[in-house]
Amino acid sequence: MEITGPMLDRFDEILTPEALDFVATLQREFGARRLELLQARQARQAELSAGGLLDFLPETKHVREADWQVAPPAPGLEDRRVEITGPVDKKMTINALNSGAKVWLADFEDANSPLWENCVSGHLNLRDALDRTIDFETGGKTYALRPDDELATVVVRPRGWHLDEKHARVDGQPVSASLFDFGLYFFHCAQRQIDKGKGPYFYLPKMESHLEARLWNDVFTRAQELLGIPYGTIRATVLIETYPAAFEMEEILYELRDHSAGLNAGRWDYLFSVIKKFRTRGREFLLPERNAVTMTAPFMRAYTELLVRTCHKRGAHAIGGMAAFIPSRRDPEVNAVALEKVRADKTRESGDGFDGSWVAHPDLVPVCREVFDGVLGSRPNQLDRLREDVNVTAAELLSVSETPGEITETGLRNNVDVALRYLAAWMGGLGAVAIHNLMEDAATAEISRSQIWQWIHNDITLADTGAQVTKELVEQIIAEELAKIAEEPGYDEKLYGQATALFKEVALDDDFAEFLTLPAYAQMP
């Protein structure tokens, strides 16, 4: 393997010859299948663009009708009532582990800007945390780990199948970012986690089919074999955050059944995927502005109900979506609103049968835990709630047109403003960014730009002004919102220049970019 990224302080502890050989073996054995599956995504997109619809697969009906269960919950994953998400920088590593959450999603994906130093130092932070050699000091404050029995269980999210790690090449080809992130963590930390009575656990993002889940399962099997770790030690929770995956939930669990830890409802990316998959299909799949699309929309309700039913039918955990609100320690009014919204969100999820849910900030852990405590009591989960009352049809999953809400200039400006702020931060090395009292990640920018693309291509008239959404109007609003941001302290002209150019490319070009992180990553050093 050839490494072209700089070898910064202590990187040689992670990028050892043995670890790189391990990743190279995975890349050589599974890289070609990964590329074939990415081609299959394109073929399915062509079918949808030509007028096709998504449906439950007839060829896997036998899987849906058969009697099978996933593996029982692994140590440290029995009780998942509160999970916190965040990037793998040193401060977040300590704060998340100390937060009181049951699980920390240690994120190399949407909450992490994939600068080379972020990706490699993240592995150092995880290993140091397991060795209890991590600490952090800033502004006169020292951060250190609590005792092991008070720490959250680590669940690592590698980058998705569509991404490369451009600083690592095998046989002249870039390495899959998924295999790079998974491989380095597994090589260095799998046995460390086992020695602590837990195991190497993962969240798997952006999958679009059960065949992609089968590939992950084969990677897991081979990785365990190579390091002499018992089959079935790895556990993975799959994010159902693409539209096609919602129609293959049972099949995805089945493919990973010996390594499965459940499914998660990844709501923002799911909305992005709805737009992306049916972007050429006119108003039948047109969504109102982002803040108007709630989890009570009929098609979103169908998605979450089906997820809980599917998981509990198969003995798997169902994990709810993100509460992105950030409490304010300086503004009691903002704080009260945020906590009430989180409480309502988690009350709905716990009542629906979810076994736990996500928060983005340590201050939200207590309210999420309190809500789930009220439903679970001393039980670790509610897998016994089979939700046999749920019978979701394909038509219900596809009922996007029944979503209430408007498209306004206020919503359009919000999409522009948030996307510009996020992309500037992302280009500068931050992947989880506090914007207007919400913790935003890459999914935020994706839905913001894809909505604007969709509105332009459907001749949408704004409900509050009567103006039609055109490229010219969006460019005018970009200039106006950028001028406001430029008046704020800390404005970085270079980063916002990059962000503006990138946003125009992915929101205004006639050709729809599959993921904005692809052209954005190409601009990174």
Side-chain angles (χ1 to χ4, degrees):
M1 182 184 288
E2 177 190 8
I3 297 294
T4 59
M7 292 294 285
L8 303 179
D9 184 42
R10 298 183 62 207
F11 278 21
D12 58 334
E13 297 176 32
I14 296 298
L15 303 172
T16 65
E18 297 80 7
L20 295 179
D21 284 348
F22 177 73
V23 174
T25 297
L26 297 179
Q27 174 65 26
R28 289 190 176 106
E29 294 188 14
F30 299 105
R33 269 178 66 191
R34 169 202 167 224
L35 296 178
E36 289 170 6
L37 289 168
L38 293 178
Q39 286 296 317
R41 289 185 183 182
Q42 298 303 317
R44 176 178 262 186
Q45 180 63 61
E47 293 172 5
L48 297 177
S49 296
L53 286 174
L54 294 169
D55 202 348
F56 301 108
L57 303 177
E59 63 267 30
T60 55
K61 185 179 180 183
H62 65 285
V63 172
R64 296 192 298 276
E65 294 180 347
D67 183 16
W68 52 270
Q69 295 278 290
V70 303
L77 293 178
E78 302 95 336
D79 187 335
R80 304 176 62 178
R81 67 188 67 199
V82 191
E83 302 193 353
I84 190 168
T85 72
V88 283
D89 61 84
K90 188 175 285 191
K91 181 180 177 182
M92 185 66 196
T93 296
I94 297 170
N95 282 345
L97 289 171
N98 286 345
S99 66
K102 294 292 187 179
V103 165
W104 170 39
L105 185 155
D107 201 6
F108 286 91
E109 202 230 3
D110 272 5
N112 178 63
S113 173
L115 288 173
W116 171 248
E117 48 266 44
N118 286 354
C119 293
V120 182
S121 64
H123 288 288
L124 271 170
N125 293 333
L126 291 172
R127 196 194 65 173
D128 287 351
L130 290 172
D131 290 345
R132 299 193 60 85
T133 58
I134 192 170
D135 56 37
F136 181 72
E137 189 170 328
T138 182
K141 185 176 180 182
T142 300
Y143 297 80
L145 292 177
R146 292 176 177 171
D148 274 358
D149 61 359
E150 297 180 25
L151 302 182
T153 297
V154 175
V155 180
V156 168
R157 178 162 67 170
R159 285 168 283 178
W161 281 131
H162 60 288
L163 292 166
D164 294 328
E165 175 45 70
K166 65 182 179 182
H167 301 95
R169 303 179 78 83
V170 169
D171 305 327
Q173 299 299 313
V175 172
S176 156
S178 301
L179 297 178
F180 185 82
D181 296 342
F182 163 80
L184 289 179
Y185 176 72
F186 189 77
F187 184 86
H188 289 291
C189 296
Q191 192 60 51
R192 283 176 163 87
Q193 288 283 25
I194 294 166
D195 292 345
K196 286 181 174 286
K198 295 184 179 178
Y201 306 143
F202 299 90
Y203 257 110
L204 303 179
K206 306 288 191 291
M207 276 200 278
E208 297 196 9
S209 79
H210 69 285
L211 298 179
E212 295 180 21
R214 182 181 298 173
L215 175 56
W216 266 120
N217 196 69
D218 290 346
V219 169
F220 293 164
T221 300
R222 181 65 171 135
Q224 289 166 139
E225 181 183 84
L226 286 169
L227 296 191
I229 287 172
Y231 177 82
T233 302
I234 292 173
R235 294 300 165 84
T237 305
V238 174
L239 291 116
I240 301 298
E241 56 183 353
T242 70
Y243 217 4
F247 295 82
E248 300 184 35
M249 292 190 207
E250 289 202 66
E251 293 89 337
I252 287 169
L253 284 177
Y254 181 78
E255 294 294 343
L256 285 158
R257 60 195 179 278
D258 293 335
H259 296 110
S260 179
L263 304 177
N264 170 277
R267 58 181 75 169
W268 287 130
D269 270 305
Y270 190 73
L271 293 174
F272 163 54
S273 182
V274 168
I275 297 170
K276 177 164 66 172
K277 292 301 171 187
F278 290 98
R279 61 184 181 266
T280 64
R281 301 290 290 276
R283 299 199 176 206
E284 184 184 358
F285 291 94
L286 183 75
L287 284 170
E289 58 195 49
R290 180 171 77 119
N291 292 336
V293 185
T294 69
M295 297 306 292
T296 59
F299 82 103
M300 294 298 280
R301 189 87 184 123
Y303 150 68
T304 55
E305 293 272 82
L306 181 61
L307 190 146
V308 174
R309 168 62 182 143
T310 300
C311 286
H312 288 185
K313 176 182 175 184
R314 303 303 183 181
H317 279 70
I319 306 300
M322 171 67 79
F325 299 100
I326 303 171
S328 171
R329 294 171 182 175
R330 292 184 296 273
D331 189 331
E333 189 174 333
V334 167
N335 200 45
V337 170
L339 291 176
E340 187 50 44
K341 287 183 176 179
V342 172
R343 186 179 299 279
D345 189 49
K346 303 313 172 193
T347 299
R348 175 187 50 77
E349 288 179 332
S350 61
D352 286 346
F354 281 97
D355 301 291
S357 192
W358 281 9
V359 299
H361 192 281
D363 286 356
L364 295 179
V365 169
V367 67
C368 184
R369 183 173 57 227
E370 178 188 328
V371 170
F372 274 89
D373 284 351
V375 171
L376 297 177
S378 60
R379 296 178 301 153
N381 52 60
Q382 48 184 339
L383 293 175
D384 57 338
R385 277 197 69 191
L386 298 180
R387 292 305 311 273
E388 292 174 335
D389 57 304
V390 171
N391 182 27
V392 172
T393 65
E396 288 171 323
L397 288 172
L398 292 168
S399 62
V400 176
S401 61
E402 296 177 21
T403 307
E406 296 180 325
I407 301 168
T408 66
E409 182 177 309
T410 301
L412 174 57
R413 286 185 180 277
N414 183 67
N415 277 4
V416 169
D417 171 76
V418 170
L420 290 176
R421 291 176 187 274
Y422 181 79
L423 289 173
W426 194 90
M427 297 300 293
L430 294 176
V433 187
I435 304 173
H436 307 321
N437 298 307
L438 293 173
M439 186 65 76
E440 308 286 18
D441 68 8
T444 302
E446 289 285 28
I447 189 169
S448 295
R449 65 95 178 187
S450 61
Q451 283 200 311
I452 290 173
W453 191 96
Q454 187 184 39
W455 297 342
I456 290 171
H457 287 81
N458 281 280
D459 301 324
I460 291 303
T461 299
L462 298 174
D464 52 349
T465 67
Q468 184 176 323
V469 182
T470 62
K471 290 182 182 180
E472 292 73 24
L473 176 64
V474 174
E475 287 185 326
Q476 175 189 329
I477 288 175
I478 289 172
E480 291 170 357
E481 294 303 312
L482 192 60
K484 296 177 193 174
I485 295 170
E487 297 297 318
E488 298 174 4
Y491 173 76
D492 187 312
E493 186 175 358
K494 180 182 177 183
L495 288 178
Y496 272 98
Q498 291 177 303
T500 302
L502 176 63
F503 184 67
K504 287 181 178 180
E505 176 185 346
V506 297
L508 302 182
D509 278 7
D510 286 336
D511 292 331
F512 186 90
E514 189 74 8
F515 292 96
L516 67 79
T517 46
L518 294 172
Y521 185 50
Q523 295 181 28
M524 277 189 162

